[in-house]
Amino acid sequence: MTDHELDADSPLTLPGFFDALADGDLLGGVCADCGQVLIPPRPACYECGSRAVDVESQPNTGHVHSYTEVHTAPPAFEGDAPYTVAVVELDSGGRLLGRVDAPYEDVAIDDPVELQVREPTEEERAVALSYETEWPVHRFELR
């Protein structure tokens, strides 16, 4: 197991996860005891409770596990509605929630997708929490 200090820079925290994502590295925790993939990584496995969690790079490809269309968006995203959100099972087995850059009617269970990461726009920074303003935006595109 790789030892990671639990500070803001640790890949086992959201800031550390998003810092790595901004650098193009999608990280996941992998439980050394049961093999569960945790995305974003965290210091303890939610499957078995083990604290033996390694941090490993994850693939940016996977398939749609579940999806829905958001019609009533939070105030900051009202202008975007309706939009598609999916739980994507990455090729490693870990799951990550994110928006899909496709209309709801064009998405189906098991559709292959690829994660895209970009800098937030000024508009996105304006609605982010103070500690999230530099976090990259991730979305999935149909392949």
Side-chain angles (χ1 to χ4, degrees), residues 7-8 12 14 16 20-21 27 30 36 44 46-47 52 56 59-60 76 86 94-95 105 119 121 125-126 131 134 138:
D7 58 21
L12 295 172
L14 282 177
L21 193 60
L27 297 179
V30 180
Q36 180 70 43
Y46 49 67
E47 184 67 25
E56 299 176 8
N60 66 348
R95 292 182 180 167
E105 56 275 0
E119 289 288 320
T121 64
R125 283 187 171 105
Y131 59 87
E134 297 305 313
H138 71 278

Side-chain angles (χ1 to χ4, degrees), residues 10-30:
S10 168
L12 295 172
T13 65
L14 282 177
F17 170 77
F18 281 107
D19 283 348
L21 193 60
D23 292 336
D25 196 9
L26 174 61
L27 297 179
V30 180

Side-chain angles (χ1 to χ4, degrees), residues 9 15 52 55 65 83 85 90 97:
D9 296 324
V55 176
H65 176 76
Y83 55 88
V85 176
L90 298 173
L97 177 70

Side-chain angles (χ1 to χ4, degrees), residues 28-60:
V30 180
C31 180
D33 291 333
C34 74
Q36 180 70 43
V37 179
L38 315 162
I39 302 174
R42 56 210 62 187
C45 177
Y46 49 67
E47 184 67 25
C48 73
S50 172
R51 292 199 169 268
V53 177
D54 296 319
V55 176
E56 299 176 8
S57 290
Q58 299 295 305
N60 66 348

Side-chain angles (χ1 to χ4, degrees), residues 110-130:
D110 290 329
D111 274 352
V113 293
E114 184 171 355
L115 182 69
Q116 301 295 320
V117 179
R118 64 172 173 73
E119 289 288 320
T121 64
E122 287 307 314
E123 187 175 81
E124 289 165 331
R125 283 187 171 105
V127 298
L129 298 174
S130 62

